[in-house]
Amino acid sequence: MIKAIVYTSNTGNTERYAKLLGHQLDLPVYTLNDAKKTLERNTAVIYLGWIMAGRIKGYKNAEKYFCVRMVCAVGMGATGTQLQELKDHNQIPSSVKVFSLQGGFDMQKLRGVNRMMMSIMMKTAGKALAEKEDKTPDEDDMLDLMMNGGSRVSMENLFGPIQWYERIRDQVC
């Protein structure tokens, strides 16, 4: 039985999703650091982490300590995209359900190497996307996030994770 939601957030979007999901599922919500101090090893959890260069931040650490049953990866891409890439890149076992959630972007909240990497990405990928003639609606949205910042956090994006949890809620890890 899943006992908690554990997350790692950088600019606040993942934290917002974790709290929304915790409220909806009536589960306690902890940062990864607090969860390691509060929960026992191998506790069944849902893990939410932000995406950076294809990696779900904190996932490997959470996986070593907890029985992660579901992962919600929060990034700039549209909700429900990049699932296979995320599974492969993060070596997530097939027994763990993976969802991607569109979060947001705020350059002002990034620091150090993360800020530098996103600045480079905006200059390269952002420029290429801006010059692309036949952009999809998802690409237009990604470009808008890169250029103007903002948040796409919503309850609607949590529909899949909530449905999945309700189906498996009483299963043992």
Tab-separated table of all heavy atoms in Angstrom, residues 24-67:
chain	number	residue	atom	x	y	z
A	24	GLN	N	-5.445	15.270	-3.194
A	24	GLN	CA	-6.441	14.481	-3.911
A	24	GLN	C	-6.470	13.025	-3.438
A	24	GLN	O	-7.532	12.416	-3.362
A	24	GLN	CB	-6.142	14.539	-5.418
A	24	GLN	CG	-7.239	14.043	-6.298
A	24	GLN	CD	-8.468	14.941	-6.271
A	24	GLN	OE1	-8.391	16.141	-6.057
A	24	GLN	NE2	-9.632	14.353	-6.459
A	25	LEU	N	-5.298	12.457	-3.134
A	25	LEU	CA	-5.203	11.046	-2.747
A	25	LEU	C	-5.196	10.849	-1.239
A	25	LEU	O	-5.127	9.725	-0.759
A	25	LEU	CB	-3.952	10.411	-3.357
A	25	LEU	CG	-3.807	10.503	-4.879
A	25	LEU	CD1	-2.533	9.826	-5.325
A	25	LEU	CD2	-5.024	9.934	-5.583
A	26	ASP	N	-5.226	11.931	-0.488
A	26	ASP	CA	-5.183	11.891	0.969
A	26	ASP	C	-3.920	11.170	1.471
A	26	ASP	O	-3.984	10.290	2.324
A	26	ASP	CB	-6.451	11.237	1.535
A	26	ASP	CG	-6.634	11.523	3.014
A	26	ASP	OD1	-6.168	12.587	3.471
A	26	ASP	OD2	-7.221	10.673	3.714
A	27	LEU	N	-2.782	11.569	0.907
A	27	LEU	CA	-1.486	11.016	1.300
A	27	LEU	C	-0.579	12.136	1.791
A	27	LEU	O	-0.635	13.252	1.272
A	27	LEU	CB	-0.808	10.329	0.103
A	27	LEU	CG	-1.420	9.031	-0.401
A	27	LEU	CD1	-0.758	8.604	-1.705
A	27	LEU	CD2	-1.290	7.934	0.648
A	28	PRO	N	0.271	11.852	2.771
A	28	PRO	CA	1.231	12.872	3.204
A	28	PRO	C	2.254	13.128	2.096
A	28	PRO	O	2.557	12.243	1.295
A	28	PRO	CB	1.889	12.252	4.438
A	28	PRO	CG	1.687	10.793	4.303
A	28	PRO	CD	0.422	10.602	3.522
A	29	VAL	N	2.778	14.352	2.074
A	29	VAL	CA	3.724	14.780	1.044
A	29	VAL	C	5.013	15.221	1.726
A	29	VAL	O	4.975	16.007	2.682
A	29	VAL	CB	3.122	15.941	0.224
A	29	VAL	CG1	4.114	16.444	-0.805
A	29	VAL	CG2	1.818	15.511	-0.435
A	30	TYR	N	6.152	14.714	1.221
A	30	TYR	CA	7.458	15.030	1.795
A	30	TYR	C	8.457	15.363	0.700
A	30	TYR	O	8.432	14.738	-0.367
A	30	TYR	CB	8.042	13.829	2.555
A	30	TYR	CG	7.196	13.286	3.655
A	30	TYR	CD1	6.380	12.182	3.456
A	30	TYR	CD2	7.228	13.861	4.927
A	30	TYR	CE1	5.609	11.657	4.478
A	30	TYR	CE2	6.457	13.344	5.958
A	30	TYR	CZ	5.650	12.241	5.721
A	30	TYR	OH	4.882	11.718	6.740
A	31	THR	N	9.379	16.259	0.998
A	31	THR	CA	10.541	16.388	0.130
A	31	THR	C	11.336	15.096	0.281
A	31	THR	O	11.179	14.372	1.287
A	31	THR	CB	11.441	17.576	0.527
A	31	THR	OG1	11.986	17.316	1.833
A	31	THR	CG2	10.685	18.898	0.491
A	32	LEU	N	12.193	14.809	-0.667
A	32	LEU	CA	12.994	13.587	-0.589
A	32	LEU	C	13.831	13.566	0.690
A	32	LEU	O	13.881	12.546	1.386
A	32	LEU	CB	13.883	13.443	-1.827
A	32	LEU	CG	14.789	12.225	-1.886
A	32	LEU	CD1	14.010	10.917	-1.765
A	32	LEU	CD2	15.599	12.241	-3.184
A	33	ASN	N	14.442	14.684	1.026
A	33	ASN	CA	15.271	14.731	2.245
A	33	ASN	C	14.437	14.487	3.503
A	33	ASN	O	14.848	13.733	4.390
A	33	ASN	CB	16.008	16.065	2.346
A	33	ASN	CG	17.126	16.170	1.337
A	33	ASN	OD1	17.640	15.171	0.841
A	33	ASN	ND2	17.501	17.392	1.001
A	34	ASP	N	13.281	15.113	3.595
A	34	ASP	CA	12.423	14.915	4.762
A	34	ASP	C	11.872	13.491	4.815
A	34	ASP	O	11.744	12.907	5.897
A	34	ASP	CB	11.270	15.915	4.773
A	34	ASP	CG	11.722	17.328	5.112
A	34	ASP	OD1	12.858	17.496	5.621
A	34	ASP	OD2	10.944	18.273	4.860
A	35	ALA	N	11.542	12.936	3.665
A	35	ALA	CA	11.006	11.571	3.620
A	35	ALA	C	12.020	10.567	4.146
A	35	ALA	O	11.669	9.631	4.869
A	35	ALA	CB	10.597	11.205	2.196
A	36	LYS	N	13.287	10.774	3.810
A	36	LYS	CA	14.329	9.847	4.276
A	36	LYS	C	14.493	9.913	5.793
A	36	LYS	O	14.898	8.935	6.415
A	36	LYS	CB	15.643	10.132	3.550
A	36	LYS	CG	15.575	9.699	2.092
A	36	LYS	CD	16.739	10.186	1.282
A	36	LYS	CE	17.982	9.413	1.584
A	36	LYS	NZ	19.108	9.793	0.716
A	37	LYS	N	14.152	11.040	6.398
A	37	LYS	CA	14.227	11.189	7.854
A	37	LYS	C	12.960	10.679	8.541
A	37	LYS	O	12.997	10.336	9.720
A	37	LYS	CB	14.416	12.664	8.224
A	37	LYS	CG	15.710	13.269	7.752
A	37	LYS	CD	15.708	14.770	8.018
A	37	LYS	CE	16.842	15.457	7.287
A	37	LYS	NZ	16.721	16.921	7.335
A	38	THR	N	11.846	10.647	7.814
A	38	THR	CA	10.540	10.372	8.409
A	38	THR	C	10.024	8.962	8.128
A	38	THR	O	9.469	8.320	9.017
A	38	THR	CB	9.500	11.393	7.874
A	38	THR	OG1	10.003	12.713	8.111
A	38	THR	CG2	8.162	11.229	8.545
A	39	LEU	N	10.190	8.499	6.897
A	39	LEU	CA	9.623	7.206	6.480
A	39	LEU	C	10.646	6.094	6.614
A	39	LEU	O	11.853	6.323	6.493
A	39	LEU	CB	9.144	7.286	5.021
A	39	LEU	CG	8.102	8.354	4.708
A	39	LEU	CD1	7.861	8.432	3.200
A	39	LEU	CD2	6.799	8.063	5.447
A	40	GLU	N	10.163	4.895	6.841
A	40	GLU	CA	11.051	3.735	6.918
A	40	GLU	C	11.549	3.351	5.535
A	40	GLU	O	10.895	3.616	4.527
A	40	GLU	CB	10.304	2.548	7.538
A	40	GLU	CG	9.930	2.762	8.986
A	40	GLU	CD	9.221	1.547	9.569
A	40	GLU	OE1	9.329	0.443	8.999
A	40	GLU	OE2	8.555	1.715	10.601
A	41	ARG	N	12.688	2.679	5.521
A	41	ARG	CA	13.207	2.128	4.259
A	41	ARG	C	12.170	1.216	3.639
A	41	ARG	O	11.427	0.544	4.337
A	41	ARG	CB	14.475	1.321	4.507
A	41	ARG	CG	15.696	2.126	4.353
A	41	ARG	CD	16.923	1.206	4.266
A	41	ARG	NE	18.103	2.018	4.179
A	41	ARG	CZ	18.572	2.536	3.045
A	41	ARG	NH1	17.970	2.301	1.912
A	41	ARG	NH2	19.644	3.294	3.058
A	42	ASN	N	12.136	1.197	2.318
A	42	ASN	CA	11.251	0.342	1.516
A	42	ASN	C	9.769	0.690	1.646
A	42	ASN	O	8.928	-0.107	1.225
A	42	ASN	CB	11.493	-1.140	1.807
A	42	ASN	CG	12.899	-1.543	1.447
A	42	ASN	OD1	13.412	-1.155	0.400
A	42	ASN	ND2	13.552	-2.283	2.329
A	43	THR	N	9.447	1.838	2.208
A	43	THR	CA	8.058	2.292	2.218
A	43	THR	C	7.619	2.508	0.777
A	43	THR	O	8.367	3.059	-0.038
A	43	THR	CB	7.930	3.618	3.005
A	43	THR	OG1	8.303	3.388	4.363
A	43	THR	CG2	6.520	4.180	2.950
A	44	ALA	N	6.406	2.092	0.443
A	44	ALA	CA	5.864	2.298	-0.909
A	44	ALA	C	5.471	3.764	-1.072
A	44	ALA	O	4.733	4.308	-0.245
A	44	ALA	CB	4.666	1.394	-1.139
A	45	VAL	N	5.994	4.387	-2.124
A	45	VAL	CA	5.744	5.807	-2.359
A	45	VAL	C	5.465	6.084	-3.831
A	45	VAL	O	5.778	5.280	-4.706
A	45	VAL	CB	6.931	6.695	-1.902
A	45	VAL	CG1	7.238	6.501	-0.424
A	45	VAL	CG2	8.167	6.460	-2.758
A	46	ILE	N	4.909	7.252	-4.066
A	46	ILE	CA	4.830	7.862	-5.388
A	46	ILE	C	5.926	8.916	-5.403
A	46	ILE	O	6.037	9.716	-4.463
A	46	ILE	CB	3.458	8.523	-5.615
A	46	ILE	CG1	2.351	7.462	-5.639
A	46	ILE	CG2	3.467	9.348	-6.901
A	46	ILE	CD1	0.941	8.042	-5.636
A	47	TYR	N	6.748	8.923	-6.458
A	47	TYR	CA	7.840	9.886	-6.526
A	47	TYR	C	7.604	10.882	-7.667
A	47	TYR	O	7.280	10.489	-8.786
A	47	TYR	CB	9.199	9.196	-6.729
A	47	TYR	CG	10.297	10.213	-6.785
A	47	TYR	CD1	10.722	10.834	-5.621
A	47	TYR	CD2	10.838	10.625	-7.993
A	47	TYR	CE1	11.667	11.835	-5.660
A	47	TYR	CE2	11.785	11.622	-8.044
A	47	TYR	CZ	12.200	12.231	-6.870
A	47	TYR	OH	13.118	13.235	-6.910
A	48	LEU	N	7.779	12.170	-7.373
A	48	LEU	CA	7.716	13.220	-8.378
A	48	LEU	C	9.057	13.930	-8.424
A	48	LEU	O	9.599	14.323	-7.383
A	48	LEU	CB	6.633	14.253	-8.052
A	48	LEU	CG	5.193	13.858	-8.315
A	48	LEU	CD1	4.662	12.942	-7.224
A	48	LEU	CD2	4.312	15.085	-8.430
A	49	GLY	N	9.591	14.083	-9.618
A	49	GLY	CA	10.860	14.781	-9.794
A	49	GLY	C	10.851	15.598	-11.067
A	49	GLY	O	10.112	15.300	-12.006
A	50	TRP	N	11.683	16.609	-11.111
A	50	TRP	CA	11.760	17.471	-12.295
A	50	TRP	C	12.777	16.903	-13.279
A	50	TRP	O	13.719	16.214	-12.905
A	50	TRP	CB	12.064	18.907	-11.913
A	50	TRP	CG	13.321	19.138	-11.121
A	50	TRP	CD1	13.516	18.863	-9.800
A	50	TRP	CD2	14.543	19.700	-11.596
A	50	TRP	NE1	14.790	19.219	-9.421
A	50	TRP	CE2	15.436	19.742	-10.507
A	50	TRP	CE3	14.964	20.181	-12.826
A	50	TRP	CZ2	16.731	20.243	-10.627
A	50	TRP	CZ3	16.253	20.683	-12.944
A	50	TRP	CH2	17.113	20.708	-11.852
A	51	ILE	N	12.528	17.190	-14.539
A	51	ILE	CA	13.362	16.657	-15.611
A	51	ILE	C	14.451	17.665	-15.963
A	51	ILE	O	14.181	18.842	-16.184
A	51	ILE	CB	12.527	16.375	-16.877
A	51	ILE	CG1	11.399	15.391	-16.578
A	51	ILE	CG2	13.418	15.857	-18.006
A	51	ILE	CD1	10.370	15.275	-17.698
A	52	MET	N	15.690	17.180	-16.043
A	52	MET	CA	16.823	17.993	-16.487
A	52	MET	C	17.667	17.120	-17.391
A	52	MET	O	18.195	16.096	-16.935
A	52	MET	CB	17.629	18.486	-15.286
A	52	MET	CG	18.834	19.289	-15.670
A	52	MET	SD	18.313	20.825	-16.421
A	52	MET	CE	19.836	21.717	-16.412
A	53	ALA	N	17.741	17.487	-18.654
A	53	ALA	CA	18.521	16.748	-19.643
A	53	ALA	C	18.130	15.260	-19.677
A	53	ALA	O	18.980	14.381	-19.745
A	53	ALA	CB	20.022	16.915	-19.384
A	54	GLY	N	16.852	15.006	-19.582
A	54	GLY	CA	16.341	13.640	-19.662
A	54	GLY	C	16.369	12.861	-18.355
A	54	GLY	O	15.804	11.776	-18.266
A	55	ARG	N	17.003	13.389	-17.346
A	55	ARG	CA	17.073	12.734	-16.038
A	55	ARG	C	15.971	13.257	-15.123
A	55	ARG	O	15.689	14.449	-15.103
A	55	ARG	CB	18.414	13.013	-15.362
A	55	ARG	CG	19.597	12.437	-16.093
A	55	ARG	CD	19.991	11.123	-15.485
A	55	ARG	NE	21.190	10.642	-16.121
A	55	ARG	CZ	21.257	9.511	-16.803
A	55	ARG	NH1	20.205	8.744	-16.917
A	55	ARG	NH2	22.375	9.125	-17.355
A	56	ILE	N	15.388	12.339	-14.369
A	56	ILE	CA	14.391	12.727	-13.373
A	56	ILE	C	15.152	12.938	-12.074
A	56	ILE	O	15.631	11.985	-11.453
A	56	ILE	CB	13.303	11.642	-13.222
A	56	ILE	CG1	12.625	11.393	-14.574
A	56	ILE	CG2	12.287	12.070	-12.163
A	56	ILE	CD1	11.749	10.159	-14.602
A	57	LYS	N	15.290	14.190	-11.697
A	57	LYS	CA	16.102	14.542	-10.538
A	57	LYS	C	15.591	13.854	-9.270
A	57	LYS	O	14.405	13.871	-8.972
A	57	LYS	CB	16.123	16.055	-10.331
A	57	LYS	CG	16.843	16.786	-11.428
A	57	LYS	CD	18.286	16.366	-11.478
A	57	LYS	CE	19.149	17.432	-12.073
A	57	LYS	NZ	20.562	17.160	-11.918
A	58	GLY	N	16.524	13.229	-8.555
A	58	GLY	CA	16.217	12.579	-7.290
A	58	GLY	C	15.696	11.158	-7.416
A	58	GLY	O	15.624	10.445	-6.414
A	59	TYR	N	15.334	10.723	-8.625
A	59	TYR	CA	14.732	9.391	-8.765
A	59	TYR	C	15.674	8.285	-8.296
A	59	TYR	O	15.263	7.406	-7.530
A	59	TYR	CB	14.289	9.124	-10.212
A	59	TYR	CG	13.926	7.673	-10.415
A	59	TYR	CD1	12.767	7.147	-9.826
A	59	TYR	CD2	14.750	6.807	-11.110
A	59	TYR	CE1	12.447	5.813	-9.958
A	59	TYR	CE2	14.438	5.462	-11.243
A	59	TYR	CZ	13.290	4.976	-10.665
A	59	TYR	OH	12.984	3.641	-10.785
A	60	LYS	N	16.913	8.315	-8.728
A	60	LYS	CA	17.853	7.237	-8.347
A	60	LYS	C	18.023	7.171	-6.834
A	60	LYS	O	18.088	6.097	-6.251
A	60	LYS	CB	19.210	7.423	-9.039
A	60	LYS	CG	19.186	7.071	-10.506
A	60	LYS	CD	18.890	5.609	-10.685
A	60	LYS	CE	18.795	5.229	-12.134
A	60	LYS	NZ	18.286	3.888	-12.345
A	61	ASN	N	18.076	8.309	-6.196
A	61	ASN	CA	18.198	8.370	-4.741
A	61	ASN	C	16.938	7.805	-4.077
A	61	ASN	O	17.021	7.012	-3.140
A	61	ASN	CB	18.437	9.826	-4.334
A	61	ASN	CG	18.971	9.962	-2.940
A	61	ASN	OD1	18.919	9.045	-2.128
A	61	ASN	ND2	19.481	11.142	-2.645
A	62	ALA	N	15.779	8.204	-4.577
A	62	ALA	CA	14.514	7.708	-4.019
A	62	ALA	C	14.384	6.201	-4.223
A	62	ALA	O	13.939	5.483	-3.326
A	62	ALA	CB	13.329	8.433	-4.672
A	63	GLU	N	14.787	5.737	-5.387
A	63	GLU	CA	14.686	4.313	-5.716
A	63	GLU	C	15.544	3.453	-4.776
A	63	GLU	O	15.152	2.343	-4.420
A	63	GLU	CB	15.131	4.105	-7.170
A	63	GLU	CG	15.168	2.664	-7.596
A	63	GLU	CD	15.850	2.495	-8.939
A	63	GLU	OE1	16.949	3.065	-9.143
A	63	GLU	OE2	15.289	1.778	-9.764
A	64	LYS	N	16.667	3.970	-4.355
A	64	LYS	CA	17.552	3.224	-3.453
A	64	LYS	C	16.962	3.094	-2.052
A	64	LYS	O	17.254	2.149	-1.335
A	64	LYS	CB	18.914	3.916	-3.354
A	64	LYS	CG	19.737	3.803	-4.597
A	64	LYS	CD	21.028	4.582	-4.466
A	64	LYS	CE	21.774	4.582	-5.786
A	64	LYS	NZ	22.914	5.499	-5.777
A	65	TYR	N	16.151	4.052	-1.661
A	65	TYR	CA	15.651	4.097	-0.293
A	65	TYR	C	14.220	3.591	-0.150
A	65	TYR	O	13.870	2.970	0.841
A	65	TYR	CB	15.738	5.536	0.231
A	65	TYR	CG	15.681	5.632	1.730
A	65	TYR	CD1	16.838	5.553	2.492
A	65	TYR	CD2	14.467	5.781	2.388
A	65	TYR	CE1	16.785	5.626	3.877
A	65	TYR	CE2	14.407	5.857	3.767
A	65	TYR	CZ	15.563	5.776	4.504
A	65	TYR	OH	15.501	5.841	5.864
A	66	PHE	N	13.381	3.872	-1.144
A	66	PHE	CA	11.954	3.552	-1.073
A	66	PHE	C	11.544	2.530	-2.126
A	66	PHE	O	12.288	2.267	-3.059
A	66	PHE	CB	11.111	4.823	-1.270
A	66	PHE	CG	11.380	5.880	-0.251
A	66	PHE	CD1	12.054	7.035	-0.591
A	66	PHE	CD2	10.969	5.721	1.062
A	66	PHE	CE1	12.316	8.011	0.361
A	66	PHE	CE2	11.216	6.683	2.013
A	66	PHE	CZ	11.897	7.833	1.666
A	67	CYS	N	10.340	2.004	-1.965
A	67	CYS	CA	9.722	1.169	-2.990
A	67	CYS	C	8.874	2.118	-3.841
A	67	CYS	O	7.728	2.420	-3.498
A	67	CYS	CB	8.853	0.082	-2.349
A	67	CYS	SG	7.970	-0.911	-3.557
